[in-house]
Amino acid sequence: MAVCVRQSRKSIINHVKAKMGLLGLTCLSSSMPSLNNDHRTLSAASLAKDLRNQNSVLENKPILYRTRRFDSTKPHQRSGVQSNVANSQFLDFPGGKVAFTSEMRFISESPKERIPCYRVLDDDGQLIEGGINVGKEIAVKMYSDMATLQTMDTIFYDAQRQGRISFYLTTIGEEAINIASAAALTIDDFVVPQYREPGVLLWRGFTLEQFANQCFSNRGDDCRGRQMPIHYGSKKLNYLTVASTIASQLPHAVGVAYSLKMDGKDACAVTYFGDGGSSEGDFHAALNFAAVTEAPVLFICRNNGWAISTPTSDQFRSDGIVVRGEAYGVRSIRVDGNDTLALYSAVRTAREMAICEQRPILIEAMTYRVGHHSTSDDSTKYRPVDEIELWRSARDPITRFRKWIESNGWWSSEAESELRSNVRKQLLDAIQVAERTEKPPLVDMFTDVYDAVPSNLSEQEKWLRETIKIHPQDYPSDFPL
Amino acid sequence: MTVRDALNSALDEEMSADPKVFLMGEEVGEYQGAYKISKGLLDKYGPERVLDTPITEAGFTGIGVGAAYHGLKPVIEFMTFNFSMQAIDHIINSAAKSNYMSAGQISVPIVFRGPNGAAAGVGAQHSHCYASWYASCPGLKVLSPYSSEDARGLLKAAIRDPDPVVFLENELLYGETFPVSAEVLDSSFCVPIGKAKIEREGKDVTITAFSKMVGYALKAAEILAKEGISAEVINLRSIRPLDRDTINASVRKTNRLVTVEEGFPQHGVGAEICASVVEESFGYLDAPVERIAGADVPMPYAANLERLAVPQVEDIVRAAKRACYRSVPMAAAA
């Protein structure tokens, strides 16, 4: 058994070393945002003491095992400082050395300047500078998927208003976050969503018919009629089924990342949440834990300004979410969430860091929730209509990206009208078919509660069928049995 | 073998057999486990598979569930199940319901274990029994061992099971020694989930119990035997699924039932057993069902009050006698 453990350790180490060789330079290059060097040096020193294997300690080597607890009180880099020196300047408290100061200075509750926001395309979709080069194929797919998502949202929202589905929520205004982040990942990266990220599924190949079937909860539904609309999921596409609980997916993602880490996979976990979700206790636990276990997970926050009717000013008093990263020891970045290219670049880079350095990364994508929270909400009741309109039109991420691809000669108004009308037709057809498809059969009520159907549920199914036979008038006639 | 060693050896063997099994919880590693259940495991399997966590039940439970979603087999230790309250959302909403909500795409092969119920002199927030809380939720399996054989067999079964399992141990039982056969010591030993065990056969009255109360019920049976009452003691082992067949078969034989549990009476395990027997074996009952449970108060601390708040052997003996019409029923009308 010990052999197995050592081998898996070795394979993780070798794998990571291989990655380090390729990307190690990238990780350490000066174009990266500045890192706190003291922290790294500290870790390397304790690592040297700690590792049982004989490989030399790489400068930025990920710590595969957490430093054993005994070391936390040992002084690091003693280098000749003695406690009886008249003006000793630091002390080894548990957790590492801390310099003293005679100036009593409280750290301000708010920074002089907010953390700046990374952007690469200006408001008119013109390239400012930087960003990862994106080829025509990916750019066009990103644009088409964003437009498809927007069209799907409009049509399904209307379907709910017409009473054809019971519930829906849109991603309007946040299409860039969905699609650009999905494009920057690989299919092996495991997605643990909140609920406003169907675009990631769309990018990976979930069909419009599948979306419709889930919303109509019919026989074709991958969820077998178990869930409300928009609670999509696909094991095949590595996208965890949406749950309604807010922020519970954050520690789940860390668990997934831990599993990927143990398997030494070239993949990371990716999880999404909103500005409101960051208030949950699970957010704190997940970030803290991810840092401590050095889990390869991307935390992508869609800071869209609103949690139903709660504006961010009532949600927190920090400079958004990005500043919390440092508090947990998590590297973080703030990105313009309506800039497709900036998002693509940031997520791509974050992914490499997460996997090759085996660490969590926090990305705060600034954006605006153009739509209502859901079909159960009317946001004009708590925010000004012209604010919504501004973000819907002038700040629309899709239009902005369209200008960029058009300026590259990759898109045209013909292509646009063709795409929109095709997608619209496909959606209307999908809805019509989904609406007429049978509901899930009775047996689906009783399966999947456990891995194997327990005897009491088989019994109940039997009784139910008998009861329906004896009293058919008490049950709707269109019940598939 | 003590129950503690039984649990430790079960964990050891399952971790050895399957590299996907790992243990996570507060103090499980360096400290060897708050109750020393995970003694030696950190040294043997390393910190990757025995994780000491920060103090966040919600956090490590959520992470365990996420790891289970992705194919690992976590064993999550709660220092006591009282602390699982801070994680119950993940247990119920993220673990129990996931296989159903995802239509079988996400299975959650996770085990939540730790001491449950009353210990000795630890007050209200450390003495609550959660058997009926978790057993009411479809999607979970809930087990509660009594002896070392139970502990070994049920924990192994729980770890191997693809469904989420809540495994309710008892702090006071950890140090108790039980005889174990060679079969129990074998590494492939397993006890089936959903089967109760008849610890003592009898013909006059059925006594159901789980965890520590099984020991009390057996002592009560000894006392009753001297007075000519032959009690059949059923060790439930599995709270969900409840072995209704064994219980009902026994009641059909003895015609009298006493349910025993440490937890609070309302909506408790005994209430469910009573309902089951009334539904399926009403005609066989010769006396009302007697329910022995903890007092309907948060657990007091003072030793005398604590003794009064928890079922004692004498309570079980008197209940059995009432069921056998050897003494006056408690709610006797004039």
Side-chain angles (χ1 to χ4, degrees):
Chain A
M1 180 46 230
V3 175
C4 284
V5 174
R6 211 169 288 128
Q7 273 181 355
S8 74
R9 246 160 86 189
K10 235 204 214 157
S11 69
I12 293 176
I13 292 169
N14 287 336
H15 166 81
V16 166
K17 273 171 81 173
K19 282 254 127 197
M20 282 302 303
L22 243 175
L23 294 158
L25 293 173
T26 325
C27 292
L28 296 169
S29 79
S30 55
S31 67
M32 289 295 124
S34 62
L35 303 169
N36 183 344
N37 283 307
D38 289 341
H39 172 74
R40 275 191 299 153
T41 326
L42 210 60
S43 316
S46 46
L47 189 62
K49 244 186 267 187
D50 208 38
L51 279 184
R52 290 184 206 132
N53 75 59
Q54 299 307 307
N55 293 326
S56 62
V57 176
L58 301 171
E59 171 63 356
N60 203 24
K61 184 169 187 171
I63 300 168
L64 296 165
Y65 293 137
R66 290 162 293 120
T67 311
R68 301 215 31 161
R69 208 171 303 177
F70 304 126
D71 288 348
S72 69
T73 51
K74 281 208 194 109
H76 296 283
Q77 297 175 328
R78 274 217 121 150
S79 52
V81 176
Q82 275 139 55
S83 55
N84 58 3
V85 169
N87 47 353
S88 45
Q89 293 178 312
F90 59 87
L91 193 65
D92 297 310
F93 287 110
K97 72 177 182 216
V98 181
F100 289 127
T101 169
S102 310
E103 185 200 344
M104 179 173 71
R105 188 166 58 87
F106 286 77
I107 302 172
S108 173
E109 70 280 3
S110 55
K112 280 199 210 51
E113 278 174 21
R114 295 190 64 181
I115 304 283
C117 196
Y118 176 60
R119 101 175 343 194
V120 149
L121 288 179
D122 67 16
D123 284 328
D124 278 316
Q126 299 314 305
L127 197 63
I128 309 171
E129 68 167 280
I132 292 179
N133 218 346
V134 164
K136 174 179 176 186
E137 205 184 309
I138 294 189
V140 168
K141 184 174 186 329
M142 285 205 283
Y143 179 77
S144 319
D145 279 1
M146 287 200 282
T148 304
L149 177 56
Q150 189 184 56
T151 313
M152 178 174 94
D153 273 348
T154 319
I155 291 183
F156 280 140
Y157 186 90
D158 287 343
Q160 193 277 345
R161 281 287 175 256
Q162 293 162 17
R164 295 159 86 182
I165 54 178
S166 68
F167 175 85
Y168 192 73
L169 61 76
T170 65
T171 310
I172 310 278
E174 302 179 52
E175 295 89 350
I177 298 179
N178 271 229
I179 300 297
S181 64
L185 303 169
T186 70
I187 189 68
D188 291 324
D189 298 318
F190 198 89
V191 175
V192 189
Q194 178 71 80
Y195 46 58
R196 220 179 284 279
E197 302 92 19
V200 180
L201 264 179
L202 186 66
W203 174 272
R204 289 187 171 186
F206 210 63
T207 65
L208 299 177
E209 290 71 30
Q210 282 177 291
F211 282 114
N213 284 339
Q214 200 284 325
C215 286
F216 281 90
S217 206
N218 59 30
R219 200 170 199 125
D221 173 19
D222 293 303
C223 282
R224 295 203 198 129
R226 306 277 171 67
Q227 294 251 53
M228 287 170 66
I230 70 98
H231 287 63
Y232 317 110
S234 167
K235 186 170 179 170
K236 193 176 111 191
L237 301 178
N238 279 337
Y239 185 99
L240 196 80
T241 306
V242 173
S244 312
T245 44
I246 300 291
S248 58
Q249 73 279 8
L250 298 177
H252 296 164
V254 181
V256 170
Y258 191 78
S259 171
L260 289 169
K261 184 185 168 88
M262 278 185 72
D263 287 342
K265 283 235 169 72
D266 177 13
C268 63
V270 183
T271 183
Y272 299 81
F273 58 104
D275 41 286
S278 76
S279 296
E280 281 278 359
D282 277 341
F283 168 84
H284 161 80
L287 280 237
N288 191 38
F289 232 113
V292 168
T293 52
E294 290 156 18
V297 52
L298 303 190
F299 293 103
I300 301 182
C301 176
R302 293 176 291 96
N303 184 346
N304 62 20
W306 296 92
I308 310 190
S309 68
T310 309
T312 50
S313 54
D314 284 347
Q315 193 70 246
F316 44 70
R317 289 299 161 89
S318 52
D319 171 18
I321 313 299
V322 66
V323 288
R324 302 190 197 176
E326 189 177 359
Y328 292 106
V330 174
R331 193 175 297 168
S332 43
I333 186 170
R334 168 172 278 158
V335 184
D336 178 349
N338 290 357
D339 179 342
T340 309
L341 280 189
L343 275 162
Y344 181 86
S345 309
V347 174
R348 195 57 199 277
T349 310
R351 179 187 180 271
E352 305 294 357
M353 286 183 192
I355 296 173
C356 94
E357 291 179 59
Q358 291 287 294
R359 60 166 66 250
I361 311 280
L362 172 65
I363 298 172
E364 181 184 21
M366 311 297 287
T367 182
Y368 188 85
R369 191 197 76 210
V370 172
H372 306 303
H373 165 70
S374 72
T375 49
S376 311
D377 174 46
D378 174 10
S379 61
T380 59
K381 294 243 168 3
Y382 52 79
R383 55 184 187 174
V385 176
D386 46 348
E387 177 187 298
I388 305 173
E389 269 320 298
L390 170 71
W391 285 91
R392 182 195 301 282
S393 38
R395 308 259 176 101
D396 175 34
I398 304 180
T399 318
R400 192 164 151 200
F401 193 58
R402 179 181 161 180
K403 290 179 182 161
W404 186 71
I405 54 171
E406 275 179 346
S407 68
N408 280 344
W410 295 339
W411 198 251
S412 64
S413 43
E414 290 81 39
E416 176 76 17
S417 39
E418 199 189 319
L419 173 74
R420 294 277 180 175
S421 65
N422 277 348
V423 167
R424 196 184 154 75
K425 179 172 184 319
Q426 217 188 324
L427 280 162
L428 291 172
D429 286 345
I431 288 185
Q432 284 207 5
V433 172
E435 203 167 25
R436 280 187 265 117
T437 306
E438 240 185 4
K439 291 294 179 229
L442 196 144
V443 69
D444 279 347
M445 183 157 116
F446 300 102
T447 48
D448 302 321
V449 181
Y450 296 100
D451 188 63
V453 181
S455 57
N456 68 316
L457 288 182
S458 312
E459 234 175 38
Q460 287 178 25
E461 188 191 337
K462 203 169 80 121
W463 290 340
L464 183 56
R465 286 185 194 277
E466 279 169 19
T467 310
I468 295 177
K469 232 189 250 166
I470 301 171
H471 303 281
Q473 72 281 1
D474 291 343
Y475 296 89
S477 54
D478 61 349
F479 253 29
L481 291 176
Chain B
M1 177 177 241
T2 60
V3 171
R4 176 177 288 116
D5 288 341
L7 294 167
N8 182 272
S9 60
L11 280 169
D12 193 353
E13 286 161 26
E14 292 305 305
M15 287 178 75
S16 173
D18 187 346
K20 300 250 170 222
V21 177
F22 74 102
L23 180 62
M24 182 155 66
E26 291 155 9
E27 311 299 323
V28 296
E30 297 278 358
Y31 197 75
Q32 311 295 322
Y35 298 96
K36 306 292 180 247
I37 305 298
S38 51
K39 185 164 174 206
L41 296 179
L42 174 65
D43 283 336
K44 193 164 174 190
Y45 297 103
E48 243 188 16
R49 295 186 66 199
V50 180
L51 262 81
D52 276 324
T53 67
I55 306 179
T56 163
E57 278 73 12
F60 64 72
T61 307
I63 287 162
V65 171
Y69 284 165
H70 201 260
L72 290 182
K73 291 194 184 162
V75 176
I76 305 295
E77 175 172 311
F78 290 114
M79 205 176 279
T80 82
F81 263 93
N82 297 273
F83 311 157
S84 74
M85 292 287 94
Q86 300 189 282
I88 197 168
D89 176 64
H90 281 296
I91 300 175
I92 305 294
N93 282 325
S94 303
K97 300 179 185 170
S98 283
N99 199 49
Y100 190 74
M101 293 199 306
S102 71
Q105 292 183 79
I106 307 171
S107 83
V108 194
I110 193 169
V111 175
F112 304 103
R113 50 160 291 274
N116 173 60
V122 286
Q125 293 174 333
H126 291 77
S127 308
H128 203 137
C129 173
Y130 289 93
S132 60
W133 284 59
Y134 291 117
S136 72
C137 185
L140 282 182
K141 290 183 176 161
V142 180
L143 307 177
S144 193
Y146 160 62
S147 62
S148 302
E149 178 185 324
D150 289 354
R152 256 182 76 80
L154 288 175
L155 186 54
K156 278 164 164 293
I159 294 174
R160 295 177 200 174
D161 197 290
D163 296 312
V165 179
V166 171
F167 193 84
L168 306 171
E169 301 159 6
N170 185 291
E171 188 198 326
L172 298 178
L173 283 176
Y174 285 151
E176 268 197 45
T177 313
F178 293 87
V180 284
S181 66
E183 190 203 338
V184 172
L185 291 170
D186 185 68
S187 63
S188 64
F189 176 69
C190 207
V191 159
I193 292 179
K195 284 292 308 159
K197 182 181 178 198
I198 299 181
E199 295 281 348
R200 181 190 172 116
E201 280 193 25
K203 54 180 183 51
D204 293 330
V205 57
T206 301
I207 305 178
T208 64
F210 62 94
S211 188
K212 187 151 130 273
M213 290 290 120
V214 176
Y216 282 34
L218 288 170
K219 290 204 186 89
E222 281 293 326
I223 296 172
L224 288 164
K226 295 198 183 78
E227 307 202 22
I229 299 177
S230 152
E232 178 150 291
V233 176
I234 300 183
N235 172 4
L236 293 175
R237 282 183 166 176
S238 183
I239 316 293
R240 176 185 262 268
L242 201 55
D243 189 354
R244 298 165 203 275
D245 290 343
T246 300
I247 298 168
N248 277 285
S250 173
V251 172
R252 289 177 184 212
K253 186 173 68 165
T254 66
N255 311 122
R256 296 158 202 279
L257 176 61
V258 176
T259 69
V260 185
E261 67 198 292
E262 253 187 341
F264 300 127
Q266 188 164 342
H267 307 300
V269 176
E272 176 62 31
I273 294 176
C274 181
S276 172
V277 163
V278 163
E279 278 163 13
E280 296 183 39
S281 311
F282 183 68
Y284 293 82
L285 282 171
D286 285 348
V289 176
E290 293 279 340
R291 245 191 325 170
I292 296 296
D296 201 21
V297 301
M299 184 69 71
Y301 168 74
N304 63 322
L305 297 179
E306 186 180 29
R307 193 194 178 283
L308 291 170
V310 174
Q312 304 297 329
V313 175
E314 299 71 42
D315 295 314
I316 305 174
V317 169
R318 286 197 299 267
K321 285 183 181 169
R322 285 193 299 270
C324 295
Y325 296 147
R326 299 291 189 88
S327 71
V328 180
M330 294 196 61

